[in-house]
Amino acid sequence: MKNKKLTVESMLAGTGIAELNEMQQRAGESIGTQEKIILLSGTGTGKTLAYLLPLALQLDPTQKKTQALIIVPSRELALQTEKVFKQLQTGYKFTSCYGGHLRETEENNLLEAPALIVGTPGRLCDHLRRGNISTEAIQILVLDEFDKSAELGFQEEISFIVEQLRSLNKRILISATDSGTLPAFLQMDGAVKMDFQH
């Protein structure tokens, strides 16, 4: 699938960004080494890139099943995440799943398992219930804009999704605000918290 070895430099080449900001650098280091990370940083600070870079480096090019799942609260964020990932030119297949998008199109995209899936909670639940997403090799879970997902009342759906992920070894929670106590089903006890809100 890919001949060249991915590096942060090779991935940044397609983004027009010369260097990472401090938050992105430190987030990348933590995501590379820690199993549970909470990243707090304001809107527009480059959080999507901050987690996609280290996440892409951890994917296994020989694995033919889905390896990472990204849960987002809105279609807009799903599309933004897909756009940023495509700029990285990793060679990995990436699929977006969200309401308002033809489910049949998504089902076709999921037939050959993408390495990464980004989606809204309701649509991801739908695909999981239909058996369209194989979860056995998903080791990385990203909850992006978790504060918004909580505000919008997606806890039940997210709880269902997390229950299906039995092989997780990395959980990354990203938020613009510190929501304090996190739901127990996220299993974020002992997480490394990185606060760049100020």
Side-chain angles (χ1 to χ4, degrees):
M1 178 168 67
K2 300 192 309 301
N3 306 320
K4 61 179 199 305
K5 177 134 177 56
L6 283 182
T7 63
V8 169
E9 291 70 31
S10 71
M11 289 189 282
L12 278 182
T15 66
I17 295 169
E19 59 180 357
L20 300 175
N21 63 33
E22 187 201 353
M23 179 273 289
Q24 291 167 330
Q25 285 175 357
R26 288 185 45 205
E29 288 160 13
S30 278
I31 291 168
T33 56
Q34 305 293 329
E35 290 181 0
K36 298 179 182 183
I37 300 104
I38 299 170
L39 174 61
L40 304 172
S41 191
T43 307
T45 52
K47 295 190 291 291
T48 305
L49 191 62
Y51 77 78
L52 283 177
L53 285 168
L55 195 153
L57 292 173
Q58 290 179 27
L59 297 175
D60 175 0
T62 64
Q63 172 62 265
K64 300 297 178 217
K65 297 191 169 108
T66 301
Q67 300 176 58
L69 184 66
I70 303 164
I71 305 176
V72 295
S74 66
R75 180 180 86 109
E76 291 70 30
L77 188 54
L79 290 169
Q80 177 199 318
T81 306
E82 181 173 23
K83 181 182 169 195
V84 173
F85 191 79
K86 285 189 168 157
Q87 288 174 339
L88 304 182
Q89 298 172 15
T90 63
Y92 286 110
K93 184 178 176 191
F94 186 101
T95 292
S96 301
C97 303
Y98 49 84
H101 195 214
L102 270 178
R103 199 185 65 232
E104 292 73 18
T105 305
E106 294 176 358
E107 283 176 351
N108 287 337
N109 288 338
L110 292 167
L111 285 175
E112 184 190 322
L116 297 96
I117 297 173
V118 65
T120 51
R123 184 54 69 97
L124 289 173
C125 284
D126 191 29
H127 283 303
L128 285 165
R129 289 191 175 105
R130 291 169 185 273
N132 296 333
I133 296 172
S134 164
T135 59
E136 63 203 80
I138 296 177
Q139 298 191 324
I140 303 171
L141 172 67
V142 179
L143 292 152
D144 197 0
E145 290 197 357
F146 182 72
D147 48 340
K148 295 239 179 78
S149 289
E151 277 168 33
L152 295 166
F154 288 136
Q155 250 101 330
E156 205 173 303
E157 285 104 328
I158 294 173
S159 174
F160 172 78
I161 296 165
V162 173
E163 263 172 45
Q164 315 305 308
L165 308 177
R166 313 220 181 265
S167 306
L168 282 185
N169 59 22
K170 193 175 290 285
R171 297 159 197 263
I172 304 161
L173 190 143
I174 295 160
S175 193
T177 56
D178 190 350
S179 52
T181 313
L182 294 168
F185 67 79
L186 293 178
Q187 297 171 30
M188 293 300 283
D189 306 343
V192 172
K193 185 181 278 192
M194 308 180 70
D195 190 345
F196 291 94
Q197 292 178 100
H198 311 295

